């Protein structure tokens, strides 16, 4: 739920809980949640499914708050066919100012230990909204990088 700068906004938490509860109550059949456990208010599948609408709304809000981000998302990003994590900046036409903006916003993080050119990652809160999918083994790597970016052992 946090970006790569460690920011966790209250609106993201509220939105996440809203979507998870909505899925649990109103979309139980669609998400095959008929056999709810009595010891959980929100089943794991509803929690996992809530991230997608939260991510889309997070990206929409970021586009409103950062005009340069909106330009990058709406003009540059659609030109690229495959959006997988990790990626190389050349794939998405990022100049240094765009790269700096995205890093300051917490949208991307560069794994400087990786020798490959595809060494940029996107946190979960932005990934779905930007249309990125995980490459093989990327989920655990994103968590490791988030810990590294935040400079502490927990996320």
């Amino acid at each position: 739920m946090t970006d790569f700068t460690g920011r966790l906004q209250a609106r993201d938490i509220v939105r996440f809980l809203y979507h998870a509860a909505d899925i649990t109550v109103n979309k139980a059949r669609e998400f095959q949640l008929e056999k709810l456990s009595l010891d959980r208010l929100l089943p794991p599948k509803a929690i996992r499914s809530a991230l997608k609408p939260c991510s889309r709304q997070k990206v929409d809000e970021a586009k409103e708050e950062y005009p340069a981000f909106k330009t990058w998302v709406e003009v540059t990003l659609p030109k690229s066919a495959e959006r997988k994590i990790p990626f190389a900046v050349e794939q998405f036409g990022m100049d240094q100012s765009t790269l700096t903006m995205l890093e300051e916003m917490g949208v991307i993080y560069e794994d400087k230990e990786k020798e490959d050119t595809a060494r940029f990652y996107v946190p979960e809160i932005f990934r779905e909204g930007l249309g990125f999918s995980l490459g093989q083994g990327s989920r655990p790597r994103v968590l490791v990088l988030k810990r590294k970016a935040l400079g502490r052992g927990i996320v």
Side-chain angles (χ1 to χ4, degrees), residues 1-7 12 51 54-56 58-59 69 72 85-87 102-110 120-134 138-139 141-147 149-150 155:
M1 291 291 299
T2 64
D3 59 26
F4 277 130
T5 62
R7 287 185 291 247
D12 295 332
L51 190 58
C54 289
S55 180
R56 287 186 188 130
K58 179 75 170 179
V59 168
F69 177 74
W72 179 71
I85 299 172
F87 64 90
L102 293 174
E103 286 177 332
E104 287 174 358
M105 287 177 63
V107 176
I108 63 170
Y109 180 79
E110 180 181 10
F120 285 84
Y121 292 80
V122 178
E124 294 291 309
I125 192 66
F126 284 102
R127 185 180 62 78
E128 287 280 348
L130 291 172
F132 280 87
S133 62
L134 295 172
S138 292
R139 172 108 172 100
R141 188 73 185 144
V142 169
L143 294 176
V144 168
L145 292 173
K146 190 176 280 191
R147 286 185 189 111
L150 298 176
V155 177

Side-chain angles (χ1 to χ4, degrees), residues 58-143:
K58 179 75 170 179
V59 168
D60 289 343
E61 288 172 348
K63 288 193 294 189
E64 289 176 20
E65 294 167 7
Y66 299 93
F69 177 74
K70 179 180 181 177
T71 302
W72 179 71
V73 171
E74 294 179 356
V75 176
T76 308
L77 205 51
K79 296 175 184 174
S80 304
E82 187 173 55
R83 298 181 194 172
K84 286 198 179 224
I85 299 172
F87 64 90
V89 292
E90 298 80 22
Q91 290 176 260
F92 304 110
M94 289 188 220
D95 58 13
Q96 188 57 46
S97 63
T98 302
L99 190 62
T100 302
M101 172 201 55
L102 293 174
E103 286 177 332
E104 287 174 358
M105 287 177 63
V107 176
I108 63 170
Y109 180 79
E110 180 181 10
D111 183 2
K112 294 179 178 158
E113 293 177 6
K114 196 172 179 185
E115 298 296 324
D116 191 6
T117 58
R119 60 188 194 187
F120 285 84
Y121 292 80
V122 178
E124 294 291 309
I125 192 66
F126 284 102
R127 185 180 62 78
E128 287 280 348
L130 291 172
F132 280 87
S133 62
L134 295 172
Q136 187 175 4
S138 292
R139 172 108 172 100
R141 188 73 185 144
V142 169
L143 294 176

Side-chain angles (χ1 to χ4, degrees), residues 8-16 58 61-62 65:
L8 179 61
Q9 296 181 318
R11 64 185 175 191
D12 295 332
I13 296 168
V14 171
R15 182 182 301 129
F16 181 75
K58 179 75 170 179
E61 288 172 348
E65 294 167 7

